[in-house]
Amino acid sequence: MKYLDDTTKAMLKKVAFDEKQEHSASFLATDWDVLDTHSAEDGLEILPIGTALDKYEWLRELFFTLIEKDKDTYVKEVASSDVLLGYFIRIKAGVKISLPVYTCYMINSDKFTQCTHNIIIAEENSELHLISGCTANAHIVSGRHLGVTEYFIEEGATVTSTMIHSWGKEVEVYPRSAAHVGKNAKFISNYVAMGSVKKLQMDPLAVIEEGGLGEFYSVIYATENSQFDIGSTVILNGDGASSEIISRVVSNGGEVTTRGKIVGKHPNGRGAMACNGLLLSKKGYIHAIPELLGQDPRLELSHEASVGMISKDELAYLMASGIEEEKAKSLIIEGFLDLKIPSLPDYLQRQINAIVKETKDFETM
């Protein structure tokens, strides 16, 4: 790996990318430069996307098959970019990797627009854990990150994808992702954003085939002048397909719209949504938009949503125990954002919790 200064290393650690952390493979890019790509495991391949396209002619046929090139202006910009930046990850059939793959994109030049396109393939009965960090370096005032990611998860495979964002007050971010989840396969998607961003908008799509499972979890802490529009769309496309969409949102002056949509097309499908929001300031808002569409009478779909303030009873209890008010509020927020993810390995759950605790000095206005 190329030399990284201490400031850059500190910013990368905020999104869980640490060169000293034990891992099975890694990828790191700043602006257009790929600084590191390597795999330490047999059966697990990771390459810069340009190298992968030169190596595998068939890969070109997968490009923009789950996300159409003309989906929106941001995807069009990625598709027409003069520079091809991204990674290709493939885990071979039957291979199960316990250590995570770490990837990271960093904006390192002010007013830079970074366009990326990633392809992840999990072959039959394989297992992969991916941790993706995205950030802007400390000196960055403004910039844009546009990302396209396509997941191909074959029969019986499991992919856990954890995306951790830490941007900046004037950075705009438009990730676009889609997953095809094969028969009896699993896709667990976790999203964590704990800092300022000018605007972030995304709505990942998952198409779940027979007996497959798609789970989406998000944890958002939105500071003043931040704007988040996040969601997940799941299509239960096979008999017995199931999904869960859960989000925890704290707005401390930020504007947050959280969406969820589950479409059930076949019998025995199950889907549930839950969005819980904690509003700390009148300067921001939380807008929860759950949507269910059932197209078969033998489906089971449900949703719930809530937005409220810090519990006065909880606050009084902690203060009665001798904890100062601001510290008590901070502990309540930290506990609220401590989202337990049933399908996540313990070490990944601990890593997400650590990221949340890094922002433990929450201002409560």
Side-chain angles (χ1 to χ4, degrees):
M1 182 187 292
K2 295 182 180 179
Y3 171 76
L4 300 175
D5 60 50
D6 290 341
T7 300
T8 300
K9 289 180 180 179
M11 295 304 295
L12 293 175
K13 283 185 178 180
K14 286 187 176 183
V15 292
F17 190 92
D18 185 348
E19 57 188 334
K20 297 179 181 179
Q21 186 77 33
E22 194 174 8
H23 53 265
S24 60
S26 68
F27 172 93
L28 172 63
T30 62
D31 294 344
W32 294 130
D33 299 324
V34 176
L35 304 185
D36 178 52
T37 312
H38 75 272
S39 173
E41 297 280 354
D42 292 335
L44 174 62
E45 187 175 21
I46 182 167
L47 297 168
I49 196 66
T51 304
L53 286 168
D54 291 339
K55 184 176 182 179
Y56 300 116
E57 184 65 30
W58 53 264
L59 185 58
R60 297 184 183 278
E61 298 178 6
L62 296 182
F63 256 49
F64 295 105
T65 55
L66 301 183
I67 299 175
E68 296 181 357
K69 287 184 178 181
D70 59 354
K71 174 181 172 65
D72 58 32
T73 57
Y74 307 111
V75 176
K76 287 179 181 178
E77 192 168 345
V78 172
S80 63
S81 175
D82 292 333
V83 180
L84 188 60
L85 177 67
Y87 54 79
F88 165 78
I89 296 174
R90 179 172 64 164
I91 182 166
K92 294 185 178 180
V95 175
K96 297 186 178 182
I97 303 295
S98 57
L99 291 174
V101 175
Y102 285 91
T103 72
C104 186
Y105 289 109
M106 170 179 274
I107 295 176
N108 202 39
S109 300
D110 203 35
K111 299 181 181 179
F112 187 80
T113 294
Q114 188 178 53
C115 297
T116 70
H117 193 157
N118 311 307
I119 299 284
I120 296 99
I121 299 174
E123 296 182 352
E124 290 186 6
N125 299 312
S126 63
E127 186 170 330
L128 174 71
H129 300 288
L130 175 65
I131 298 180
S132 303
C134 294
T135 188
N137 216 335
H139 62 275
I140 298 304
V141 176
S142 64
R144 294 194 309 154
H145 175 84
L146 317 179
V148 172
T149 303
E150 297 177 281
Y151 297 86
F152 299 87
I153 305 170
E154 298 180 5
E155 182 173 348
T158 297
V159 172
T160 300
S161 175
T162 301
M163 182 183 292
I164 301 170
H165 278 184
S166 178
W167 293 106
K169 292 182 179 180
E170 295 298 324
V171 179
E172 297 184 38
V173 186
Y174 302 96
R176 301 292 184 259
S177 68
H180 181 262
V181 183
K183 182 178 179 181
N184 297 322
K186 296 179 181 179
F187 179 53
I188 297 95
S189 174
N190 312 302
Y191 178 69
V192 180
M194 300 299 295
S196 299
V197 67
K198 182 177 181 180
K199 184 175 183 180
L200 186 144
Q201 192 277 322
M202 66 179 188
D203 184 12
L205 168 69
V207 178
I208 316 293
E209 302 296 349
E210 179 183 347
L213 170 66
E215 295 181 347
F216 290 83
Y217 301 89
S218 57
V219 178
I220 308 294
Y221 182 82
T223 57
E224 187 175 348
N225 297 319
S226 292
Q227 189 179 99
F228 288 87
D229 186 337
I230 64 167
S232 302
T233 298
V234 178
I235 298 175
L236 304 178
N237 202 46
D239 194 330
S242 60
S243 179
E244 191 165 28
I245 301 173
I246 296 178
S247 61
R248 294 283 179 85
V249 175
V250 174
S251 169
N252 192 3
E255 300 176 354
V256 184
T257 300
T258 176
R259 309 172 190 272
K261 182 176 182 179
I262 301 177
V263 180
K265 293 188 172 186
H266 296 274
N268 305 311
R270 298 183 308 279
M273 256 185 292
C275 173
N276 301 110
L278 197 59
L279 195 58
L280 306 182
S281 166
K282 291 182 179 180
K283 293 181 180 179
Y285 65 74
I286 299 172
H287 185 189
I289 308 174
E291 186 177 354
L292 304 175
L293 175 59
Q295 298 177 336
D296 189 286
R298 292 161 291 179
L299 287 166
E300 186 179 327
L301 306 178
S302 64
H303 72 74
E304 64 174 78
S306 67
V307 177
M309 59 183 290
I310 289 178
S311 167
K312 293 181 179 179
D313 291 340
E314 289 183 18
L315 186 60
Y317 175 81
L318 290 175
M319 292 177 66
S321 302
I323 300 173
E324 295 181 359
E325 182 176 359
E326 289 306 308
K327 177 62 175 177
K329 289 179 179 179
S330 179
L331 289 171
I332 291 170
I333 296 168
E334 186 177 310
F336 178 81
L337 291 173
D338 185 10
L339 180 59
K340 303 299 183 185
I341 302 171
S343 304
L344 202 63
D346 289 342
Y347 70 90
L348 289 180
Q349 181 70 66
R350 289 194 297 270
Q351 192 149 23
I352 290 177
N353 292 346
I355 295 294
V356 173
K357 288 178 181 178
E358 284 293 317
T359 319
K360 59 182 176 297
D361 297 322
F362 299 105
E363 296 179 3
T364 53
M365 292 189 177

